[in-house]
Amino acid sequence: MDVNELYQWKDRIEKRKDLEHMLAEKHIVIYFHDEQDRVGVIVDGEVIKILEHEQQQPNVTIHAQFPVLQNIWNGKKRLLALPEQTLQAKGPFRELLFVEALFHLAS
């Protein structure tokens, strides 16, 4: 899985000082799965890490084909608006909303 766009998203988030309050005191582990690979994102306060190899217990898991994941990372598609045939998202609803907001606001 090519995660360059995920790193670009991370850079955009880190430049947005207006989102610091949204990230403060937040801890969430998100895993994205495509047809072959898995990549994780940890948001821990203002620190965001991309996990290409580590294993942690996720709060949210998202399964979709790679082009769909790219559209989410770029904020072009909203996570919760996609049909279940296109994307499967698991996790508490509040956490799913947070993930959707993170990617949409950074676009």
Side-chain angles (χ1 to χ4, degrees), residues 63-64 68 77-89:
H63 297 266
V68 175
K77 297 284 183 185
R78 292 191 181 209
L79 180 67
L80 299 175
L82 293 169
E84 196 171 301
Q85 307 90 297
T86 304
L87 177 136
Q88 294 82 44

Coordinates of all heavy atoms in Angstrom, one line a residue, residues 63-64 68 77-89:
H63 N -11.9 -1.0 6.2 CA -11.6 -1.9 5.1 C -12.2 -1.3 3.9 O -13.4 -1.0 3.8 CB -12.2 -3.3 5.4 CG -11.6 -4.0 6.5 ND1 -10.6 -4.8 6.5 CD2 -12.0 -3.9 7.9 CE1 -10.3 -5.3 7.7 NE2 -11.2 -4.8 8.5
A64 N -11.3 -1.1 2.8 CA -11.8 -0.7 1.5 C -10.7 -0.9 0.5 O -9.6 -1.2 0.9 CB -12.1 0.8 1.6
V68 N -10.4 4.0 -2.7 CA -11.3 4.5 -1.8 C -10.6 5.1 -0.5 O -10.9 6.2 -0.1 CB -12.4 3.4 -1.3 CG1 -13.3 4.0 -0.3 CG2 -13.1 2.9 -2.5
K77 N -13.9 11.9 0.0 CA -15.0 11.1 0.3 C -15.2 11.1 1.8 O -14.2 11.1 2.6 CB -14.8 9.7 -0.2 CG -14.7 9.5 -1.6 CD -16.1 9.6 -2.3 CE -15.9 9.3 -3.8 NZ -17.1 9.5 -4.5
R78 N -16.4 11.1 2.2 CA -16.7 11.1 3.7 C -16.9 9.6 4.1 O -17.6 8.9 3.5 CB -18.0 11.9 4.0 CG -17.7 13.4 3.8 CD -18.8 14.2 4.3 NE -18.5 15.6 4.0 CZ -18.9 16.5 4.8 NH1 -19.6 16.3 5.8 NH2 -18.6 17.8 4.5
L79 N -16.2 9.3 5.2 CA -16.2 8.0 5.7 C -17.6 7.4 5.9 O -17.9 6.3 5.4 CB -15.4 8.0 7.0 CG -15.2 6.7 7.7 CD1 -14.3 5.7 6.9 CD2 -14.6 6.9 9.1
L80 N -18.5 8.1 6.5 CA -19.8 7.5 6.9 C -20.8 7.6 5.8 O -21.9 7.1 5.9 CB -20.2 8.2 8.2 CG -19.3 7.9 9.4 CD1 -19.8 8.7 10.6 CD2 -19.2 6.5 9.7
A81 N -20.5 8.3 4.7 CA -21.4 8.5 3.6 C -21.3 7.4 2.6 O -22.1 7.2 1.7 CB -21.2 9.8 3.0
L82 N -20.2 6.6 2.7 CA -20.0 5.5 1.7 C -20.8 4.3 2.0 O -21.0 4.0 3.2 CB -18.5 5.2 1.6 CG -17.6 6.3 1.1 CD1 -16.1 5.9 1.3 CD2 -17.8 6.5 -0.4
P83 N -21.3 3.6 1.0 CA -22.1 2.4 1.2 C -21.3 1.3 1.8 O -20.1 1.2 1.5 CB -22.7 2.1 -0.2 CG -21.8 2.8 -1.1 CD -21.2 4.0 -0.4
E84 N -21.9 0.4 2.4 CA -21.2 -0.7 3.1 C -20.6 -1.7 2.1 O -19.6 -2.3 2.4 CB -22.2 -1.5 3.9 CG -21.6 -2.5 4.9 CD -22.5 -3.1 5.8 OE1 -23.2 -2.4 6.6 OE2 -22.6 -4.3 5.9
Q85 N -21.0 -1.7 0.8 CA -20.4 -2.5 -0.2 C -19.0 -1.9 -0.6 O -18.1 -2.6 -1.1 CB -21.2 -2.6 -1.5 CG -22.6 -3.0 -1.3 CD -23.6 -1.9 -1.1 OE1 -23.5 -1.2 -0.1 NE2 -24.5 -1.7 -2.0
T86 N -18.8 -0.6 -0.4 CA -17.6 0.1 -0.7 C -16.6 0.1 0.4 O -15.4 0.1 0.2 CB -17.9 1.6 -1.2 OG1 -18.9 1.5 -2.2 CG2 -16.7 2.3 -1.6
L87 N -17.1 0.3 1.6 CA -16.2 0.5 2.8 C -16.9 -0.1 4.0 O -18.1 0.0 4.2 CB -16.0 2.0 3.0 CG -15.2 2.4 4.2 CD1 -14.2 3.4 3.8 CD2 -16.1 2.9 5.3
Q88 N -16.1 -0.8 4.8 CA -16.6 -1.3 6.1 C -15.8 -0.7 7.2 O -14.5 -0.8 7.2 CB -16.4 -2.9 6.2 CG -17.2 -3.7 5.2 CD -16.6 -3.8 3.9 OE1 -15.4 -4.0 3.7 NE2 -17.4 -3.6 2.8
A89 N -16.5 0.1 8.0 CA -15.8 0.8 9.2 C -16.4 0.2 10.5 O -17.6 0.0 10.6 CB -16.1 2.3 9.1

